[in-house]
Amino acid sequence: MPEVLVGLVVLAGALVQGAVGYGMNLVAVPLVALIDPRFLPVPLLLIASAHGLLALAREHGDTDWSGVGWAMLGRVPGTALGVLAVATLAERPFSAVVGAAVLACVVLSVLSWRPRPTRGPLLVAGVASGAFSTAASIGGPPIALLYQHSPGPTIRATLAATFGLGTLLSLVGLGLGGQVHVTHFAFAAWLLPFLLAGFLLSGPARRFLDGGRMRVAVLVIAGGSALALLVRAAVG
């Protein structure tokens, strides 16, 4: 039953994102596209926004709201750039560029780069996140890499707020374009129990990662995102 398989994929994605702060799209989008494309993009966006609200409610006191504001300020033009990229550039070369850029940042972080979530970098990361998520469905790494040296709760809460607001913007845009339908809410309702299960399971994983392993998890997810994009560009 494809709906159950999609639900299990969402459960895994919710577990990863609940523990690390991002990564649901890395897990869910490619597999859901293969199993049952009816769940993309609106039902998965609805579920992602619900996850963001849950994560924010759980650790709201650790949110870097100033960072969220600067990242969102960059995300608006970044989203427009992503739309332009979709309209004018071939998908595979663009995915390769995005993947290479993220992978380069991961390698630099491992070697010597110590990024800080200040205004300028957050603006740039917001632009990159908006463009990457719109055109390649993976927008978490640019912002997550800036916060890699922050405490786990700060990473998760700040990314939850950023992604939640960004997802709502995407849903509003799709709604204005007439691409949101009642059936999408039915698909999202089917996925909700799987989302809640994954989110609850992320609690113990959170505590494990917060014991000095959070930065490694952030870099691993970012590296996985980059490699997934490079493979997508290579094999289509």
Side-chain angles (χ1 to χ4, degrees), residues 34-120:
L34 290 173
I35 298 168
D36 194 338
R38 293 178 302 166
F39 286 88
L40 293 173
V42 174
L44 207 58
L45 283 172
L46 289 167
I47 284 297
S49 65
H51 191 288
L53 291 173
L54 288 170
L56 189 58
R58 184 165 65 181
E59 297 179 296
H60 63 90
D62 296 288
T63 309
D64 177 13
W65 286 109
S66 175
V68 171
W70 287 105
M72 289 304 301
L73 190 62
R75 190 178 175 101
V76 175
T79 300
L81 288 175
V83 172
L84 182 63
V86 170
T88 59
L89 301 176
E91 178 183 358
R92 291 171 65 178
F94 184 77
S95 293
V97 170
V98 172
V102 172
L103 193 58
C105 289
V106 171
V107 172
L108 286 172
S109 296
V110 171
L111 295 177
S112 61
W113 183 43
R114 190 180 176 89
R116 297 178 58 215
T118 54
R119 292 180 182 180

Side-chain angles (χ1 to χ4, degrees), residues 38 40-44 46 179-189:
R38 293 178 302 166
L40 293 173
V42 174
L44 207 58
L46 289 167
Q179 298 179 52
V180 178
H181 307 292
V182 174
T183 54
H184 293 148
F185 290 92
F187 285 134

Side-chain angles (χ1 to χ4, degrees), residues 1-13 26-40 44 187 190-191 194:
M1 189 176 181
E3 292 86 355
V4 175
L5 289 177
V6 171
L8 293 174
V9 169
V10 167
L11 188 154
L26 170 65
V27 174
V29 170
L31 293 175
V32 172
L34 290 173
I35 298 168
D36 194 338
R38 293 178 302 166
F39 286 88
L40 293 173
L44 207 58
F187 285 134
W190 165 262
L191 295 176
F194 296 96

